[in-house]
Amino acid sequence: MSFTENDIYLIFLDTRPQIQRFVSQRIRCQDTTADLLQEVYLRLRLLTPPPRSEPEIRAWLFTVASNLSIDYLRSQKRHGELLAQYSDDKTEADHRAEPERITQAQDQLFHLQAALAELPDACADILYLSRIEGLSHADIAAQLGISTSWVEKQLARALNHCRLSLDKN
């Protein structure tokens, strides 16, 4: 049996309450759950070739919802780690040492920016996708159309270059 786009949307609407409960149990935020459900709905157009059965469509919907919720939770974890790293839990001694730390941090930042500017564009892109976007080596390779081993080599090259640059100063 072949499903039309309209059939698929109707199955989504029928399955929506279960998907909403599924995502809500993971995310625990109704606004975010609603956003993720909207994203599932928008991705229905990407469902090609059309599945042959209603259970396949439902499975696809839950897989997309699961992946979106995992991506959301990962990004929240990364944001939480960054906030914790830079939170303002300083003692009085920390505040007195602040001008020195600021100067040292600015100096390190300057040297790191210079080291990053020296990297070839492809190498810098791989470093950005890995460390800032949080993509896996396989995801980076797929996105850039290169091999995973090349991603690993370029990432090692970029990190080593930055480390050496900071060690010199």
Side-chain angles (χ1 to χ4, degrees), residues 1-13 57:
M1 174 177 187
S2 181
F3 289 93
T4 67
E5 191 173 303
N6 191 46
D7 294 334
I8 294 171
Y9 284 113
L10 290 174
I11 292 170
F12 169 77
L13 291 175
I57 295 171

Side-chain angles (χ1 to χ4, degrees), residues 1-168:
M1 174 177 187
S2 181
F3 289 93
T4 67
E5 191 173 303
N6 191 46
D7 294 334
I8 294 171
Y9 284 113
L10 290 174
I11 292 170
F12 169 77
L13 291 175
D14 184 51
T15 311
R16 189 179 186 283
Q18 293 99 343
I19 297 170
Q20 185 172 1
R21 277 192 303 277
F22 173 75
V23 173
S24 183
Q25 288 173 347
R26 292 174 150 208
I27 302 298
R28 304 224 183 270
C29 172
Q30 292 306 315
D31 292 336
T32 303
T33 297
D35 290 343
L36 294 179
L37 282 173
Q38 183 67 28
E39 184 65 27
V40 171
Y41 177 79
L42 293 173
R43 291 185 183 203
L44 285 174
R45 293 179 293 128
L46 304 175
L47 186 54
T48 55
R52 286 173 257 141
S53 70
E54 187 172 326
E56 282 184 42
I57 295 171
R58 289 179 188 273
W60 184 87
L61 291 169
F62 276 95
T63 299
V64 170
S66 176
N67 290 341
L68 288 171
S69 62
I70 288 169
D71 290 345
Y72 172 79
L73 292 170
R74 281 183 186 153
S75 71
Q76 289 303 107
K77 181 181 176 195
R78 263 197 316 273
H79 291 197
E81 289 168 353
L82 288 172
L83 285 174
Q85 182 179 354
Y86 295 106
S87 68
D88 196 19
D89 294 337
K90 298 177 183 172
T91 65
E92 186 177 324
D94 290 334
H95 285 292
R96 279 183 272 149
E98 188 119 350
E100 181 181 320
R101 282 191 179 153
I102 290 172
T103 302
Q104 183 182 21
Q106 288 172 334
D107 188 45
Q108 283 182 332
L109 180 61
F110 173 77
H111 290 293
L112 186 58
Q113 287 173 327
L116 291 171
E118 294 170 353
L119 290 173
D121 288 344
C123 196
D125 289 344
I126 290 170
L127 181 63
Y128 174 82
L129 291 171
S130 173
R131 294 303 191 249
I132 304 301
E133 294 296 323
L135 297 180
S136 69
H137 295 177
D139 290 339
I140 295 169
Q143 184 172 334
L144 299 179
I146 56 178
S147 71
T148 303
S149 66
W150 183 250
V151 169
E152 292 166 353
K153 289 175 187 172
Q154 292 302 305
L155 187 56
R157 176 183 178 193
L159 294 172
N160 190 44
H161 178 73
C162 291
R163 190 174 304 115
L164 290 174
S165 177
L166 289 176
D167 287 347
K168 278 193 246 178

